[in-house]
Short mmCIF file of all heavy atoms in Angstrom, two decimals:
data_model
loop_
_atom_site.label_atom_id
_atom_site.label_comp_id
_atom_site.label_asym_id
_atom_site.label_seq_id
_atom_site.Cartn_x
_atom_site.Cartn_y
_atom_site.Cartn_z
N ALA S 18 104.87 119.83 107.88
CA ALA S 18 106.20 120.21 107.43
C ALA S 18 106.69 121.39 108.26
O ALA S 18 105.89 122.12 108.85
CB ALA S 18 106.16 120.59 105.96
N PRO S 19 108.00 121.61 108.31
CA PRO S 19 108.53 122.73 109.10
C PRO S 19 107.92 124.06 108.68
O PRO S 19 107.88 124.40 107.49
CB PRO S 19 110.02 122.69 108.79
CG PRO S 19 110.30 121.27 108.42
CD PRO S 19 109.07 120.79 107.72
N GLY S 20 107.42 124.79 109.66
CA GLY S 20 106.86 126.10 109.39
C GLY S 20 105.47 126.09 108.78
O GLY S 20 104.95 127.15 108.41
N LYS S 21 104.87 124.92 108.67
CA LYS S 21 103.53 124.83 108.06
C LYS S 21 102.55 124.19 109.02
O LYS S 21 102.92 123.56 110.00
CB LYS S 21 103.61 124.01 106.77
CG LYS S 21 104.44 124.67 105.67
CD LYS S 21 104.31 123.91 104.37
CE LYS S 21 105.08 124.61 103.25
NZ LYS S 21 104.93 123.89 101.96
N GLN S 22 101.28 124.35 108.69
CA GLN S 22 100.23 123.75 109.50
C GLN S 22 100.09 122.26 109.18
O GLN S 22 100.44 121.81 108.09
CB GLN S 22 98.89 124.46 109.24
CG GLN S 22 98.83 125.87 109.78
CD GLN S 22 97.43 126.46 109.66
OE1 GLN S 22 96.68 126.11 108.76
NE2 GLN S 22 97.10 127.34 110.58
N ARG S 23 99.57 121.53 110.13
CA ARG S 23 99.31 120.12 109.92
C ARG S 23 98.21 119.98 108.87
O ARG S 23 97.21 120.72 108.89
CB ARG S 23 98.88 119.46 111.23
CG ARG S 23 98.83 117.95 111.17
CD ARG S 23 98.56 117.35 112.55
NE ARG S 23 99.63 117.67 113.50
CZ ARG S 23 99.70 117.14 114.71
NH1 ARG S 23 98.80 116.25 115.10
NH2 ARG S 23 100.68 117.47 115.52
N GLU S 24 98.38 119.04 107.96
CA GLU S 24 97.41 118.87 106.88
C GLU S 24 97.04 117.40 106.71
O GLU S 24 97.82 116.50 107.02
CB GLU S 24 97.98 119.39 105.55
CG GLU S 24 99.21 118.65 105.07
CD GLU S 24 99.70 119.15 103.71
OE1 GLU S 24 99.13 120.11 103.17
OE2 GLU S 24 100.66 118.55 103.19
N LEU S 25 95.85 117.20 106.18
CA LEU S 25 95.37 115.86 105.90
C LEU S 25 96.16 115.25 104.75
O LEU S 25 96.42 115.92 103.74
CB LEU S 25 93.89 115.91 105.52
CG LEU S 25 93.28 114.64 104.93
CD1 LEU S 25 93.10 113.61 106.02
CD2 LEU S 25 91.97 114.94 104.24
N VAL S 26 96.52 113.98 104.89
CA VAL S 26 97.13 113.23 103.80
C VAL S 26 96.11 112.24 103.23
O VAL S 26 95.84 112.23 102.03
CB VAL S 26 98.38 112.47 104.28
CG1 VAL S 26 98.95 111.62 103.14
CG2 VAL S 26 99.43 113.45 104.80
N ALA S 27 95.54 111.41 104.10
CA ALA S 27 94.58 110.41 103.65
C ALA S 27 93.82 109.86 104.83
O ALA S 27 94.33 109.83 105.96
CB ALA S 27 95.29 109.27 102.91
N THR S 28 92.58 109.42 104.58
CA THR S 28 91.78 108.76 105.59
C THR S 28 91.14 107.50 105.02
O THR S 28 90.99 107.37 103.80
CB THR S 28 90.67 109.67 106.13
OG1 THR S 28 89.79 110.01 105.05
CG2 THR S 28 91.23 110.92 106.77
N ILE S 29 90.75 106.60 105.94
CA ILE S 29 90.10 105.37 105.54
C ILE S 29 89.11 104.98 106.63
O ILE S 29 89.40 105.13 107.82
CB ILE S 29 91.12 104.25 105.28
CG1 ILE S 29 90.43 103.00 104.73
CG2 ILE S 29 91.94 103.94 106.53
CD1 ILE S 29 91.40 101.96 104.18
N THR S 30 87.95 104.48 106.23
CA THR S 30 86.95 104.06 107.20
C THR S 30 87.01 102.55 107.41
O THR S 30 87.50 101.80 106.56
CB THR S 30 85.54 104.46 106.76
OG1 THR S 30 85.24 103.77 105.53
CG2 THR S 30 85.44 105.95 106.55
N SER S 31 86.49 102.13 108.54
CA SER S 31 86.45 100.71 108.85
C SER S 31 85.23 100.03 108.23
O SER S 31 85.31 98.91 107.74
CB SER S 31 86.43 100.51 110.36
OG SER S 31 86.31 99.14 110.69
N SER S 32 84.08 100.72 108.27
CA SER S 32 82.81 100.10 107.87
C SER S 32 82.78 99.70 106.41
O SER S 32 82.34 98.59 106.07
CB SER S 32 81.67 101.05 108.18
OG SER S 32 81.90 102.30 107.57
N ASP S 33 83.26 100.59 105.52
CA ASP S 33 83.20 100.26 104.09
C ASP S 33 84.53 100.45 103.36
O ASP S 33 84.60 100.26 102.15
CB ASP S 33 82.11 101.06 103.38
CG ASP S 33 82.35 102.57 103.45
OD1 ASP S 33 83.42 102.98 103.96
OD2 ASP S 33 81.48 103.32 103.00
N GLY S 34 85.57 100.81 104.09
CA GLY S 34 86.89 100.95 103.48
C GLY S 34 87.04 102.13 102.55
O GLY S 34 87.98 102.19 101.76
N SER S 35 86.12 103.08 102.63
CA SER S 35 86.21 104.23 101.74
C SER S 35 87.43 105.08 102.11
O SER S 35 87.80 105.19 103.28
CB SER S 35 84.94 105.06 101.79
OG SER S 35 84.70 105.54 103.09
N THR S 36 88.05 105.66 101.10
CA THR S 36 89.27 106.42 101.29
C THR S 36 89.13 107.84 100.77
O THR S 36 88.27 108.14 99.93
CB THR S 36 90.45 105.75 100.58
OG1 THR S 36 90.16 105.65 99.18
CG2 THR S 36 90.73 104.37 101.14
N ASN S 37 89.97 108.70 101.29
CA ASN S 37 90.01 110.09 100.89
C ASN S 37 91.47 110.53 100.89
O ASN S 37 92.21 110.19 101.83
CB ASN S 37 89.19 110.94 101.87
CG ASN S 37 89.22 112.41 101.52
OD1 ASN S 37 88.96 112.79 100.38
ND2 ASN S 37 89.56 113.25 102.49
N TYR S 38 91.88 111.25 99.85
CA TYR S 38 93.27 111.67 99.72
C TYR S 38 93.39 113.17 99.47
O TYR S 38 92.55 113.76 98.78
CB TYR S 38 93.95 110.95 98.55
CG TYR S 38 94.12 109.47 98.73
CD1 TYR S 38 93.15 108.58 98.28
CD2 TYR S 38 95.25 108.96 99.34
CE1 TYR S 38 93.31 107.21 98.44
CE2 TYR S 38 95.43 107.59 99.49
CZ TYR S 38 94.45 106.73 99.04
OH TYR S 38 94.61 105.37 99.20
N ALA S 39 94.46 113.75 99.96
CA ALA S 39 94.81 115.10 99.56
C ALA S 39 95.21 115.08 98.09
O ALA S 39 95.80 114.10 97.60
CB ALA S 39 95.97 115.62 100.41
N ASN S 40 94.89 116.15 97.39
CA ASN S 40 95.21 116.20 95.95
C ASN S 40 96.70 116.01 95.71
O ASN S 40 97.11 115.43 94.70
CB ASN S 40 94.75 117.52 95.36
CG ASN S 40 93.24 117.60 95.22
OD1 ASN S 40 92.56 116.58 95.10
ND2 ASN S 40 92.71 118.80 95.25
N SER S 41 97.51 116.49 96.62
CA SER S 41 98.96 116.46 96.42
C SER S 41 99.55 115.06 96.45
O SER S 41 100.68 114.85 96.00
CB SER S 41 99.65 117.32 97.49
OG SER S 41 99.33 116.85 98.78
N VAL S 42 98.80 114.08 96.97
CA VAL S 42 99.34 112.72 97.08
C VAL S 42 98.57 111.71 96.24
O VAL S 42 98.96 110.54 96.16
CB VAL S 42 99.40 112.25 98.54
CG1 VAL S 42 100.17 113.24 99.40
CG2 VAL S 42 98.01 112.01 99.11
N LYS S 43 97.48 112.14 95.62
CA LYS S 43 96.68 111.21 94.82
C LYS S 43 97.53 110.59 93.71
O LYS S 43 98.27 111.28 93.03
CB LYS S 43 95.49 111.95 94.20
CG LYS S 43 94.35 112.17 95.15
CD LYS S 43 93.18 112.88 94.47
CE LYS S 43 92.05 113.13 95.45
NZ LYS S 43 90.94 113.88 94.82
N GLY S 44 97.38 109.28 93.58
CA GLY S 44 98.13 108.55 92.56
C GLY S 44 99.51 108.13 93.00
O GLY S 44 100.17 107.33 92.32
N ARG S 45 99.98 108.66 94.13
CA ARG S 45 101.31 108.30 94.64
C ARG S 45 101.23 107.53 95.96
O ARG S 45 102.07 106.67 96.22
CB ARG S 45 102.17 109.55 94.83
CG ARG S 45 102.38 110.35 93.56
CD ARG S 45 103.40 111.47 93.78
NE ARG S 45 102.96 112.44 94.77
CZ ARG S 45 103.65 112.74 95.88
NH1 ARG S 45 104.80 112.14 96.13
NH2 ARG S 45 103.18 113.64 96.72
N PHE S 46 100.28 107.90 96.80
CA PHE S 46 100.14 107.29 98.13
C PHE S 46 98.91 106.39 98.13
O PHE S 46 97.93 106.67 97.44
CB PHE S 46 99.97 108.36 99.19
CG PHE S 46 101.19 109.20 99.47
CD1 PHE S 46 102.30 109.16 98.66
CD2 PHE S 46 101.20 110.04 100.58
CE1 PHE S 46 103.41 109.94 98.92
CE2 PHE S 46 102.31 110.83 100.86
CZ PHE S 46 103.42 110.79 100.02
N ALA S 47 98.97 105.35 98.95
CA ALA S 47 97.83 104.46 99.12
C ALA S 47 97.66 104.13 100.60
O ALA S 47 98.60 103.64 101.23
CB ALA S 47 98.01 103.19 98.31
N ILE S 48 96.47 104.39 101.11
CA ILE S 48 96.16 104.08 102.51
C ILE S 48 95.40 102.76 102.56
O ILE S 48 94.58 102.47 101.68
CB ILE S 48 95.34 105.23 103.16
CG1 ILE S 48 95.24 105.02 104.66
CG2 ILE S 48 93.97 105.37 102.50
CD1 ILE S 48 94.64 106.22 105.40
N SER S 49 95.68 101.97 103.57
CA SER S 49 94.98 100.70 103.74
C SER S 49 94.95 100.36 105.22
O SER S 49 95.64 101.00 106.03
CB SER S 49 95.67 99.58 102.95
OG SER S 49 96.99 99.38 103.41
N ARG S 50 94.15 99.36 105.56
CA ARG S 50 94.10 98.94 106.96
C ARG S 50 93.81 97.45 107.02
O ARG S 50 93.12 96.90 106.15
CB ARG S 50 93.07 99.74 107.76
CG ARG S 50 91.65 99.61 107.29
CD ARG S 50 90.74 100.65 107.97
NE ARG S 50 90.62 100.43 109.40
CZ ARG S 50 90.00 101.28 110.24
NH1 ARG S 50 89.48 102.41 109.76
NH2 ARG S 50 89.92 101.01 111.52
N ASP S 51 94.30 96.83 108.05
CA ASP S 51 94.04 95.43 108.35
C ASP S 51 93.43 95.38 109.73
O ASP S 51 94.14 95.47 110.74
CB ASP S 51 95.34 94.63 108.28
CG ASP S 51 95.13 93.14 108.47
OD1 ASP S 51 94.08 92.75 109.05
OD2 ASP S 51 96.00 92.36 108.07
N ASN S 52 92.11 95.27 109.80
CA ASN S 52 91.43 95.32 111.10
C ASN S 52 91.77 94.11 111.96
O ASN S 52 91.69 94.19 113.19
CB ASN S 52 89.92 95.43 110.91
CG ASN S 52 89.51 96.81 110.41
OD1 ASN S 52 90.25 97.79 110.58
ND2 ASN S 52 88.34 96.89 109.80
N THR S 53 92.13 92.99 111.35
CA THR S 53 92.51 91.83 112.16
C THR S 53 93.79 92.09 112.93
O THR S 53 94.01 91.53 114.00
CB THR S 53 92.67 90.59 111.28
OG1 THR S 53 93.75 90.79 110.36
CG2 THR S 53 91.40 90.29 110.51
N LYS S 54 94.66 92.93 112.35
CA LYS S 54 95.90 93.30 113.02
C LYS S 54 95.81 94.66 113.70
O LYS S 54 96.77 95.11 114.33
CB LYS S 54 97.05 93.32 112.01
CG LYS S 54 97.35 91.98 111.38
CD LYS S 54 98.51 92.08 110.40
CE LYS S 54 98.81 90.72 109.78
NZ LYS S 54 99.92 90.80 108.80
N ARG S 55 94.63 95.31 113.53
CA ARG S 55 94.43 96.65 114.11
C ARG S 55 95.57 97.58 113.68
O ARG S 55 96.14 98.30 114.50
CB ARG S 55 94.28 96.58 115.61
CG ARG S 55 93.00 95.86 116.02
CD ARG S 55 92.75 95.89 117.50
NE ARG S 55 91.43 95.41 117.83
CZ ARG S 55 91.09 94.14 117.95
NH1 ARG S 55 91.99 93.21 117.73
NH2 ARG S 55 89.86 93.80 118.27
N THR S 56 95.88 97.55 112.41
CA THR S 56 96.98 98.33 111.87
C THR S 56 96.56 99.02 110.58
O THR S 56 95.87 98.42 109.74
CB THR S 56 98.21 97.44 111.61
OG1 THR S 56 98.60 96.82 112.84
CG2 THR S 56 99.38 98.26 111.09
N MET S 57 96.99 100.25 110.45
CA MET S 57 96.76 101.04 109.25
C MET S 57 98.11 101.29 108.58
O MET S 57 99.13 101.39 109.27
CB MET S 57 96.11 102.37 109.60
CG MET S 57 95.93 103.32 108.44
SD MET S 57 95.20 104.89 108.93
CE MET S 57 96.44 105.54 110.04
N TYR S 58 98.08 101.40 107.25
CA TYR S 58 99.31 101.59 106.50
C TYR S 58 99.19 102.78 105.55
O TYR S 58 98.09 103.15 105.13
CB TYR S 58 99.62 100.34 105.67
CG TYR S 58 99.68 99.07 106.48
CD1 TYR S 58 98.56 98.24 106.57
CD2 TYR S 58 100.83 98.70 107.16
CE1 TYR S 58 98.60 97.07 107.31
CE2 TYR S 58 100.88 97.53 107.90
CZ TYR S 58 99.76 96.72 107.97
OH TYR S 58 99.80 95.57 108.71
N LEU S 59 100.33 103.35 105.23
CA LEU S 59 100.40 104.35 104.17
C LEU S 59 101.59 103.99 103.29
O LEU S 59 102.73 104.13 103.71
CB LEU S 59 100.55 105.76 104.73
CG LEU S 59 100.53 106.87 103.68
CD1 LEU S 59 99.12 106.99 103.07
CD2 LEU S 59 100.95 108.22 104.29
N GLN S 60 101.28 103.51 102.09
CA GLN S 60 102.32 103.23 101.12
C GLN S 60 102.59 104.50 100.34
O GLN S 60 101.68 105.04 99.70
CB GLN S 60 101.89 102.11 100.18
CG GLN S 60 102.91 101.78 99.10
CD GLN S 60 104.19 101.19 99.66
OE1 GLN S 60 104.17 100.34 100.55
NE2 GLN S 60 105.32 101.65 99.14
N MET S 61 103.82 104.98 100.39
CA MET S 61 104.18 106.22 99.74
C MET S 61 105.18 105.93 98.63
O MET S 61 106.29 105.46 98.90
CB MET S 61 104.78 107.20 100.75
CG MET S 61 103.88 107.46 101.94
SD MET S 61 104.52 108.73 103.05
CE MET S 61 105.97 107.90 103.69
N ASN S 62 104.77 106.21 97.40
CA ASN S 62 105.62 106.00 96.24
C ASN S 62 105.93 107.32 95.55
O ASN S 62 105.26 108.32 95.79
CB ASN S 62 104.94 105.05 95.25
CG ASN S 62 104.64 103.70 95.84
OD1 ASN S 62 105.41 103.15 96.64
ND2 ASN S 62 103.52 103.11 95.45
N SER S 63 106.93 107.30 94.70
CA SER S 63 107.31 108.50 93.95
C SER S 63 107.44 109.71 94.87
O SER S 63 106.92 110.79 94.58
CB SER S 63 106.28 108.79 92.84
OG SER S 63 106.17 107.69 91.96
N LEU S 64 108.14 109.51 95.96
CA LEU S 64 108.25 110.58 96.96
C LEU S 64 109.01 111.77 96.41
O LEU S 64 109.94 111.64 95.60
CB LEU S 64 108.93 110.03 98.21
CG LEU S 64 108.02 109.20 99.10
CD1 LEU S 64 108.82 108.32 100.04
CD2 LEU S 64 107.08 110.10 99.89
#
């Protein structure tokens, strides 16, 4: 954000699909990936 440091939002692994979220986005954001398409997504709700 403007004037702030870069911060983690969410991560996801390929091997087991485990995810990690910042507390500020838990329950609102969902990270996912489709390895067949080599694409990662972040669904952001209740922005």
Side-chain angles (χ1 to χ4, degrees):
K21 295 188 177 181
Q22 290 188 330
R23 191 173 297 188
E24 63 177 4
L25 169 73
V26 176
T28 61
I29 185 168
T30 63
S31 176
S32 54
D33 61 5
S35 60
T36 59
N37 179 51
Y38 293 92
N40 288 334
S41 58
V42 306
K43 282 181 181 177
R45 300 188 298 122
F46 291 11
I48 190 171
S49 62
R50 62 191 294 172
D51 184 339
N52 288 339
T53 64
K54 297 181 179 179
R55 294 186 170 82
T56 301
M57 175 182 63
Y58 305 96
L59 184 68
Q60 178 67 42
M61 304 185 293
N62 300 324
S63 302
L64 282 161

